[in-house]
Amino acid sequence: MSNLFRSQEELSREAIKHALKALKKRHLLEEGAHAPAYIALSRPIISQGSEWKEKAENLEVELQQCYKAQSRLSEQLVVEVAESRALKASLQEKETAIAELEKELTQTRDECSQLQTDLEEKIRTLELLMIEHQELRAQLEQVTIKAKNAEAENKMLVDRWMLQKMQDAERLNEANALYEDMIERLRASGLEKLAREQVDGIVRRSEDGAEFFAESTVPSVCKHRINAHEGGCASTLFQYNSGKLISGGQDRSIKMWDTSTGSLIQNLSGCLGSVLDLAITHDNRFMIAASSSNNLFVWDVNSGRVGHTLTGHKDKVCAVDVSKVSSRHVVSAAYDRTIKVWDLQKGYCTNTIVFHSNCNALCFSTDGLTICSGHVDGNLRLWDVRTAKLLSEVAAHSLPITSISLSRNGNVVLTSGRDNLHNLFDIRSLEVCGTFRATGNRVASNWSRSCISPDDNHIAAGSADGSVYIWSISKADIVSTLKEHTAPVLSCTWSGLGKPLASADKNGVVCTWT
């Protein structure tokens, strides 16, 4: 750029010099041209006067033109000088800008060099990390192989353990069979006096003694009014050959009461939901509770501890019963449309019945081979325990069945329904033996439990108005109405000794009647 501006300035100077030389040359030429004039002047003035005057005028005109040309050249020279100065100032500014740009370029090159150094360091670091990653991956593969080997070994050990457990269970079953065979032989030889008494059917005896019963009396007086549970009490039952009452409530507790004094004997805890139904083995050793937590809980009554938790249902368990032949088999029903049979010794399910209508109540037959179930669709159904097949069914009620109770002789089953009817069916033919109703009697819930007296002569059922109605089966009429509860009655149960009768309501109050 500076060389360009210098060449333009030199060109301007040369142009000015050339113009001055041209003027001088022209002046010389004019002097040559004016030479004849000087000669003529030497002639007589008179003869040359007019010619001189004309030439003088021409020269004056030419001189004026020369002055004008000189003026134009001077102006052009001034303009060229001004432009040269402006170009010089612009050149200085651009040289300053170039210096700054060169400085910035130097700084940028330094930064680029630093970044290049950093990049090389990071590349070396990345290479080290890749090497470590490969080493870790190789270690992971080795650990994975070891884990797979350990898993396979663990599976093999579990299989061996399960096989050993099965063998132990088989040996235990053989031992139990031998024990039962020995007991039968002892019974047959008269060393142990356990017999079956004929009272319009078969009455089973427990291993601890015979199952006694007396003629039931029609209760009329509330002997004890017990605030048993916080919230409702949905289930009550008596121990076999005992006056001890067991109750289960919404407060997740199971309590045992002395009905002669109304005092609390034992409190069983560990249930994780509301107690909806209860059952007890015939030797009074184990208590089973159906819970809203989808499980069944089994207590050892003597120790008061939970022995088993039977899991497998997917919804609340609303009914449970124990076989009347063997304390080993338990049946339960839940709102997942299943009925399950359990082995209490092994603690797992042995059979499952699936049906489209939920079961609200159930019980074993006397021989332990049949399950009687009452469903939401109002039908009473009989199932084979071993094959889980439906044997027969009957439309017992127009609304859901809420309770099933088997008579002592095992030939008759009592059903109660939300249609406020209480029906007796012959379990052998499923024919209706009797229907019981009352004007004020209204079934309070889907799990309101009614019962038959031990002598099979009376029926007791609670009502939503807080009353307990008692019918005579032979007369098919109400013989007593008990009023003590202030809330709907959910459960009624009769002691196997003939008295007392117990009832429980929605406020958790339990009453005993004599």
Side-chain angles (χ1 to χ4, degrees):
M1 291 295 291
S2 60
N3 295 330
L4 179 64
F5 291 139
R6 287 172 186 165
S7 63
Q8 289 180 356
E9 187 176 357
E10 292 174 356
L11 290 173
S12 299
R13 290 176 181 176
E14 290 176 359
I16 294 169
K17 289 179 181 181
H18 182 71
L20 290 173
K21 288 180 181 181
L23 287 174
K24 288 180 180 180
K25 185 177 181 182
R26 187 173 181 178
H27 181 66
L28 292 173
L29 290 174
E30 286 176 353
E31 285 182 351
H34 292 161
Y38 289 117
I39 296 171
L41 287 174
S42 64
R43 296 176 184 177
I45 298 172
I46 298 172
S47 61
Q48 298 293 330
S50 60
E51 183 180 356
W52 180 86
K53 185 176 180 181
E54 183 179 355
K55 289 183 178 180
E57 290 176 355
N58 290 334
L59 289 172
E60 185 178 359
V61 171
E62 289 180 0
L63 182 60
Q64 289 178 356
Q65 290 177 352
C66 288
Y67 286 152
K68 289 180 180 179
Q70 184 178 3
S71 176
R72 284 197 300 272
L73 290 173
S74 298
E75 291 177 356
Q76 185 177 0
L77 179 61
V78 171
V79 171
E80 293 289 339
V81 170
E83 288 180 354
S84 176
R85 289 177 179 174
L87 290 172
K88 188 176 182 180
S90 175
L91 177 62
Q92 290 177 352
E93 291 178 357
K94 290 183 178 179
E95 287 178 348
T96 305
I98 289 171
E100 292 178 354
L101 289 173
E102 288 178 350
K103 186 178 179 180
E104 291 180 359
L105 178 61
T106 303
Q107 293 177 354
T108 304
R109 284 176 179 172
D110 294 340
E111 292 178 358
C112 181
S113 177
Q114 183 64 36
L115 290 174
Q116 184 72 22
T117 304
D118 294 343
L119 178 60
E120 292 175 355
E121 291 180 357
K122 291 189 180 297
I123 288 173
R124 288 194 295 269
T125 305
L126 180 60
E127 290 175 351
L128 292 175
L129 290 175
M130 290 293 292
I131 294 171
E132 292 180 357
H133 174 70
Q134 291 176 356
E135 292 177 353
L136 290 174
R137 188 170 183 178
Q139 293 177 5
L140 177 61
E141 290 178 355
Q142 293 177 358
V143 171
T144 303
I145 293 171
K146 290 181 180 178
K148 289 182 178 178
N149 293 335
E151 185 178 358
E153 185 178 357
N154 185 39
K155 185 177 179 181
M156 182 180 66
L157 291 174
V158 170
D159 292 341
R160 289 171 58 187
W161 180 75
M162 289 297 296
L163 180 61
Q164 186 65 36
K165 283 291 184 182
M166 292 175 63
Q167 292 175 353
D168 292 343
E170 290 177 358
R171 285 195 293 269
L172 183 61
N173 292 336
E174 292 175 359
N176 289 334
L178 289 173
Y179 173 76
E180 291 177 359
D181 185 55
M182 289 176 63
I183 292 296
E184 291 297 330
R185 291 180 181 179
L186 289 172
R187 288 176 179 172
S189 64
L191 296 179
E192 184 177 342
K193 295 182 179 180
L194 296 175
R196 300 175 181 179
E197 298 180 359
Q198 184 70 27
V199 184
D200 192 20
I202 301 172
V203 177
R204 302 286 183 187
R205 294 178 179 269
S206 69
E207 292 182 0
D208 294 334
E211 185 178 4
F212 298 103
F213 76 97
E215 183 178 358
S216 304
T217 59
V218 178
S220 58
V221 178
C222 178
K223 184 177 181 181
H224 297 289
R225 190 178 192 276
I226 306 168
N227 293 317
H229 298 275
E230 295 179 3
C233 177
S235 181
T236 55
L237 60 83
F238 282 92
Q239 281 191 340
Y240 289 95
N241 302 331
S242 170
K244 294 178 181 178
L245 175 68
I246 302 168
S247 64
Q250 289 185 2
D251 57 3
R252 305 181 179 183
S253 68
I254 297 172
K255 299 180 180 181
M256 186 180 296
W257 309 89
D258 186 343
T259 54
S260 61
T261 62
S263 59
L264 179 65
I265 300 174
Q266 190 176 13
N267 189 357
L268 302 177
S269 60
C271 185
L272 301 181
S274 300
V275 179
L276 301 181
D277 199 13
L278 292 171
I280 191 169
T281 57
H282 281 255
D283 55 7
N284 293 327
R285 286 184 58 193
F286 298 103
M287 170 65 59
I288 304 100
S291 169
S292 63
S293 64
N294 308 347
N295 300 324
L296 291 105
F297 298 90
V298 183
W299 285 266
D300 186 317
V301 176
N302 294 328
S303 65
R305 296 178 181 177
V306 176
H308 291 297
T309 299
L310 305 179
T311 60
H313 284 294
K314 304 300 181 183
D315 206 334
K316 59 186 175 185
V317 187
C318 55
V320 63
D321 193 28
V322 180
S323 171
K324 296 169 177 58
V325 176
S326 170
S327 297
R328 180 173 181 173
H329 298 107
V330 175
V331 64
S332 64
Y335 261 41
D336 56 3
R337 295 182 174 84
T338 64
I339 298 172
K340 290 182 178 292
V341 181
W342 308 84
D343 187 318
L344 203 58
Q345 287 185 359
K346 297 181 180 179
Y348 61 77
C349 177
T350 59
N351 214 339
T352 299
I353 300 170
V354 181
F355 199 70
H356 65 83
S357 178
N358 281 322
C359 174
N360 281 336
L362 51 71
C363 69
F364 271 108
S365 62
T366 304
D367 58 11
L369 301 178
T370 306
I371 300 171
C372 307
S373 61
H375 295 257
V376 173
D377 61 4
N379 283 15
L380 170 65
R381 294 179 171 89
L382 304 183
W383 307 87
D384 188 306
V385 173
R386 294 165 293 187
T387 63
K389 291 184 178 180
L390 180 64
L391 300 176
S392 58
E393 66 178 308
V394 63
H397 296 268
S398 59
L399 292 176
I401 294 176
T402 67
S403 174
I404 286 184
S405 180
L406 191 67
S407 65
R408 180 179 291 271
N409 60 26
N411 295 328
V412 177
V413 63
L414 169 68
T415 64
S416 298
R418 292 306 297 268
D419 56 3
N420 303 321
L421 297 179
H422 309 277
N423 296 327
L424 287 175
F425 289 89
D426 188 321
I427 198 171
R428 295 162 292 189
S429 62
L430 290 186
E431 294 181 355
V432 179
C433 302
T435 298
F436 305 87
R437 71 186 77 189
T439 303
N441 179 244
R442 291 179 295 110
V443 175
S445 77
N446 276 0
W447 306 286
S448 293
R449 310 301 191 191
S450 56
C451 66
I452 304 178
S453 64
D455 60 0
D456 297 339
N457 289 329
H458 298 92
I459 293 172
S463 174
D465 62 0
S467 301
V468 177
Y469 292 82
I470 299 176
W471 288 267
S472 169
I473 294 177
S474 59
K475 298 178 181 178
D477 197 5
I478 293 176
V479 293
S480 180
T481 302
L482 310 177
K483 297 182 179 292
E484 181 65 29
H485 293 280
T486 58
V489 177
L490 302 179
S491 174
C492 291
T493 183
W494 224 305
S495 169
L497 301 178
K499 62 180 181 179
L501 170 70
S503 58
D505 65 26
K506 210 168 186 177
N507 287 340
V509 175
V510 174
C511 294
T512 59
W513 307 85
T514 56

